[in-house]
Amino acid sequence: MPGGDAREAAKTVTGSFEDFPFLAELPARGPGADMIGRTAGMLVELYARVEPSGWRIGDRPGRDTRRARSWLGEDLDALEEFTQDYQGLLKVQAVGPWTLAAALELKNGEVALGDPGACRDLAASLAEGLRQHLAELRRRVPGARVVLQLDEPSLTAVLRGQVKTASGYRTHRAVDRQIVEATLRDVVGVHGDGPVVVHSCAPDVPFALLRRAGVAAISFDFSLLTERDDDAIGEAVESGTRLFAGVVPGTDGPLSDPAGSVMGVRTLWRRLGLSPGLLAEAVTLTPSCGLAGASPEYARKALAHCVRAARSLADNPE
């Protein structure tokens, strides 16, 4: 979300999504509130600090780690205030293990992705950090059924060997798909029986791999889909995987009418030959990616537009 006021953000998300609020991230506050820094602050027995080139793993917690944890605590305080007696779904998100490995640097300046041992350590630390974070969220909002979202915008690049080295002249070798899947499965398993969503706003989302890794839902930018994705999406829906379709632009611009926003979803459904009655159960409508780059006014409008578009889809699935 845009801005830096945790209470205002919590008030907006709980007011917009009465039955599916979420713990907002506010990256405008600076390093430690950004996507990578926030999740780095959750790690257990691994610490990161800001360098000119990005976030780098260090030996001990420093100012940047303390700042990240402080802001997360502030956000949790605000969410707790606006979810008193709440019962229902509540979403929280963190960066997934492979995007984290593609972003966090080791002491030599190269990202952890190039070191299989470092990737394993990072995934284990993340899993334990998420376990603690989820327990804290349940303590603060005891009536909530927590949905964990793992943000993996770099996943496709990791699978294709497209993550650049520190020099920028080479790329790190593609990680074996079975290793990627197994690591994701381990991190997904931290949430036990709770639903886990993986979000990627990159093209060519690996739907089949994510489904095998045990995710309950896959979140993506709907505008980046091509007909090549049809079979994988159809198989995902038929296996019970939910789709979080990003149909509302994440930055300021004109919004179409709600029915227009979901026209592409209905077209996809017809093309796949799926039952229209499945739509409301299988699809959740979202912004295409985060709203941090939007104005506060547009962000509020976009969230409200998602709700209206979802009603349009449920009322008129065909």
Side-chain angles (χ1 to χ4, degrees), residues 269-280:
W269 226 246
R270 285 195 294 270
R271 199 164 69 229
L272 295 177
L274 295 169
S275 164
L278 267 179
L279 259 177

Side-chain angles (χ1 to χ4, degrees), residues 186-239:
D186 288 345
V187 177
V188 167
V190 163
H191 197 23
D193 295 331
V196 178
V197 186
V198 169
H199 168 73
S200 176
C201 48
D204 299 319
V205 176
F207 287 95
L209 183 151
L210 292 172
R211 186 165 52 85
R212 291 194 303 270
V215 306
I218 300 170
S219 171
F220 54 93
D221 181 342
F222 191 84
S223 69
L224 297 179
L225 289 185
T226 68
E227 291 194 18
R228 291 198 311 270
D229 298 307
D230 281 8
D231 288 345
I233 291 174
E235 289 170 7
V237 173
E238 288 174 349
S239 71

Side-chain angles (χ1 to χ4, degrees), residues 3-249:
D5 187 326
R7 289 188 76 255
E8 184 62 32
K11 182 180 178 181
T12 297
V13 301
T14 54
S16 300
F17 290 150
E18 293 178 359
D19 55 358
F20 196 21
F22 57 92
L23 179 65
E25 294 178 359
L26 302 174
R29 293 181 296 197
D34 62 297
M35 187 173 85
I36 299 298
R38 184 182 185 89
T39 301
M42 295 181 191
L43 298 177
V44 173
E45 295 182 0
L46 281 179
Y47 311 102
R49 64 179 185 273
V50 179
E51 297 285 344
S53 53
W55 284 89
R56 182 171 296 180
I57 295 173
D59 297 324
R60 61 183 65 87
R63 178 182 59 188
D64 298 319
T65 298
R66 288 192 294 272
R67 185 190 296 124
R69 291 176 177 174
S70 174
W71 273 327
L72 178 57
E74 187 179 306
D75 294 337
L76 286 166
D77 289 343
L79 182 70
E80 183 179 3
E81 178 185 345
F82 286 96
T83 51
Q84 294 294 311
D85 301 319
Y86 174 73
Q87 295 193 334
L89 295 171
L90 173 66
K91 184 172 78 70
V92 60
Q93 59 278 339
V95 176
W98 293 108
T99 295
L100 205 58
L104 282 183
E105 299 174 356
L106 303 176
K107 292 178 183 177
N108 63 4
E110 292 290 353
V111 292
L113 186 66
D115 183 332
C119 288
R120 286 193 295 272
D121 291 346
L122 195 55
S125 175
L126 173 64
E128 184 55 35
L130 287 173
R131 192 175 285 113
Q132 294 180 13
H133 181 50
L134 291 167
E136 173 70 3
L137 201 63
R138 292 188 197 100
R139 184 185 68 78
R140 288 172 176 263
V141 193
R145 183 180 180 225
V146 180
V147 177
L148 172 63
Q149 176 176 308
L150 298 174
D151 290 322
E152 284 282 15
S154 300
L155 184 58
T156 300
V158 166
L159 290 166
R160 293 186 170 182
Q162 295 171 338
V163 177
K164 290 189 176 182
T165 59
S167 69
Y169 295 117
R170 295 186 302 112
T171 57
H172 289 280
R173 188 181 308 169
V175 181
D176 183 273
R177 296 181 77 88
Q178 289 184 319
I179 294 174
V180 170
E181 182 183 323
T183 300
L184 280 168
R185 189 181 299 112
D186 288 345
V187 177
V188 167
V190 163
H191 197 23
D193 295 331
V196 178
V197 186
V198 169
H199 168 73
S200 176
C201 48
D204 299 319
V205 176
F207 287 95
L209 183 151
L210 292 172
R211 186 165 52 85
R212 291 194 303 270
V215 306
I218 300 170
S219 171
F220 54 93
D221 181 342
F222 191 84
S223 69
L224 297 179
L225 289 185
T226 68
E227 291 194 18
R228 291 198 311 270
D229 298 307
D230 281 8
D231 288 345
I233 291 174
E235 289 170 7
V237 173
E238 288 174 349
S239 71
T241 305
R242 196 176 182 102
L243 306 179
F244 280 33
V247 297
V248 178

